[in-house]
Amino acid sequence: MTDTHEAKVALVTGANKGIGFQTARLLGLEGMTVLVGARDPGRGAAAERALRDEGLDARAVRLDVTDGRSVAAVAAWVEKTHGRLDVLVNNAGIAEGWGAFGDTDLAAVRRMLEVNVVAVIGVTDAFLPLLRASAAARVVNVSSEVGSIATMADPDGPFRDLPVTPGYPVSKSAVNMVTALYARALRDTPIKVNAANPGYCATDLNGHGGHRTAEQGARVSLRLATLPEDGPSGVLWGHLAAEPDQECHGVLPW
Ligand SMILES: NC(=O)c1ccc[n+]([C@@H]2O[C@H](COP(=O)([O-])OP(=O)(O)OC[C@H]3O[C@@H](n4cnc5c(N)ncnc54)[C@H](OP(=O)(O)O)[C@@H]3O)[C@@H](O)[C@H]2O)c1
């Protein structure tokens, strides 16, 4: 008898550690074939090994999201190997240059815009034909509540006293707009595109200062990556910082 059940194929960028690694793990536990995007082959191989040790169908792919040739090579390989992509999690991101307000490190801002925004557009475009080849693809752009203009402008909001310089929040606001535009462009297709707010998770990105675990953050991406047909598209969804309960999730304002 022929087995007609084919595992879904998911690609997570920046999946060698942190929230991305946990996202790859959770998608693997869902029975998906997980492509572990990592710019460093050694770190990718270590992540693949750790996931395979858990019995998951994981495969490291060398992917620097800012390098168009690297992105195109992975897209070509996925096309040849799988012919489609069911889940794309644009997770890779950087946060740097938190200096004094009014003395912004512009080089750091440019780097953040390149990795956190420009690369999300480039990667999504490169995989769009493969996402269209899926029965019902899901795209998750990992954003942040600090990218919510409404929240950041709220004098009573949860981040009213958070000392931030423009770069990182600006990059995540832009990710939100990218999400809204792709969701709009794809609204007549089965593809759903949403932005994820993992909440403040302890990872290398913030010197492990976060009060949530990387796995808790990854559960947000998992939820958006496995949305049913009647689920939303074009929203920012995830942890709500204003709520004391770590498991309180919902739609956030742009
Ligand atoms: N942690 C939080 O509290 C928090 C909150 C809200 C949103 N986020 C977002 O969550 C996502 C994951 O962050 P994290 O906290 O898990 O940080 P992390 O532990 O520092 O992981 C970041 C990942 O991105 C990868 N990466 C960076 N630049 C890349 C590039 N050019 N090409 C490919 N991969 C690249 C890193 O690879 P290397 O190991 O090679 O550097 C690493 O795998 C980011 O988008 C971040 O902005 C995090």
Side-chain angles (χ1 to χ4, degrees):
M1 204 168 79
T2 316
D3 181 7
T4 51
H5 175 78
E6 257 190 284
K8 285 188 178 168
V9 182
L11 169 63
V12 183
T13 68
N16 53 284
K17 65 177 182 179
I19 296 167
F21 175 78
Q22 291 298 332
T23 303
R25 192 175 145 263
L26 295 179
L27 293 170
L29 287 168
E30 287 288 306
M32 295 192 198
T33 297
V34 189
L35 307 176
V36 179
R39 60 180 162 172
D40 178 86
R43 291 196 282 271
E48 176 189 299
R49 261 196 313 278
L51 295 170
R52 283 187 174 270
D53 284 350
E54 280 199 58
L56 308 180
D57 184 13
R59 162 137 196 184
V61 291
R62 186 178 190 166
L63 178 59
D64 181 333
V65 294
T66 62
D67 176 354
R69 276 175 308 184
S70 157
V71 174
V74 174
W77 181 83
V78 175
E79 155 86 79
K80 198 171 111 209
T81 313
H82 299 287
R84 68 180 203 286
L85 185 65
D86 301 299
V87 170
L88 170 62
V89 184
N90 284 308
N91 166 84
I94 55 171
E96 51 175 76
W98 304 83
F101 211 92
D103 188 21
T104 305
D105 179 347
L106 297 183
V109 175
R110 288 192 188 97
R111 284 193 293 273
M112 284 186 276
L113 291 175
E114 191 64 32
V115 178
N116 298 356
V117 186
V118 177
V120 171
I121 299 169
V123 169
T124 308
D125 282 356
F127 285 93
L128 206 44
L130 292 166
L131 293 163
R132 287 185 189 278
S134 164
R138 303 287 179 255
V139 179
V140 182
N141 296 329
V142 181
S143 182
S144 169
E145 193 164 1
V146 302
S148 162
I149 296 173
T151 300
M152 295 304 271
D154 181 353
D156 300 318
F159 301 130
R160 61 189 173 276
D161 297 323
L162 186 71
V164 285
T165 46
Y168 184 75
V170 166
S171 75
K172 293 303 186 182
S173 301
V175 169
N176 293 346
M177 176 59 91
V178 168
T179 304
L181 291 178
Y182 278 81
R184 192 177 74 149
L186 295 166
R187 67 184 158 205
D188 295 328
T189 77
I191 304 174
K192 294 186 190 299
V193 186
N194 290 295
N197 175 39
Y200 191 35
C201 305
T203 66
D204 286 351
L205 186 105
N206 50 33
H208 293 262
H211 46 70
R212 280 160 63 77
T213 64
E215 183 178 338
Q216 282 177 309
R219 277 194 224 128
V220 172
S221 292
L222 172 71
R223 167 84 177 261
L224 294 174
T226 54
L227 282 174
E229 198 183 333
D230 61 355
S233 187
V235 299
L236 170 61
W237 187 90
H239 180 247
L240 303 172
E243 303 294 333
D245 180 356
Q246 288 301 321
E247 293 307 323
C248 194
H249 298 91
V251 175
L252 292 108
W254 293 125

